[in-house]
Amino acid sequence: MAAYLDPGTGSILISALLGLLGTALFYVKTLQYKLKVFVSGLFGVKVASPERYGIVFYSEGKQYWSTFEPVLEALD
């Protein structure tokens, strides 16, 4: 018995598998964070919660400060 998988279908399958893998990893990471917050809460240790911050900007370096400074000042 022989099977043929054309390149387009193979590409879709690989993309779908990578998407599912990425989703699963993100879900596990989220569960790990929630477990960490829960366990630290049992011992009275405060963990910085992402819900505490409204907006977070990530930058690759100081060279972007001139770009983000007006935005941050307007939001503040």
Side-chain angles (χ1 to χ4, degrees):
M1 185 166 162
Y4 172 73
L5 186 62
D6 66 284
T9 304
S11 177
I12 289 173
L13 290 175
I14 290 173
S15 295
L17 288 174
L18 288 175
L20 289 172
L21 178 65
T23 301
L25 289 174
F26 182 76
Y27 183 72
V28 168
K29 182 180 174 184
T30 302
L31 288 178
Q32 177 187 7
Y33 179 77
K34 287 183 179 185
L35 180 66
K36 177 182 173 183
V37 170
F38 176 74
V39 170
S40 65
L42 291 177
F43 295 105
V45 178
K46 296 281 184 178
V47 175
S49 174
E51 291 85 20
R52 185 176 132 198
Y53 305 105
I55 298 174
V56 178
F57 286 89
Y58 293 99
S59 174
E60 294 178 1
K62 293 180 181 179
Q63 68 269 23
Y64 295 107
W65 176 245
S66 61
T67 302
F68 288 124
E69 184 179 19
V71 175
L72 294 173
E73 286 179 357
L75 290 173
D76 190 29

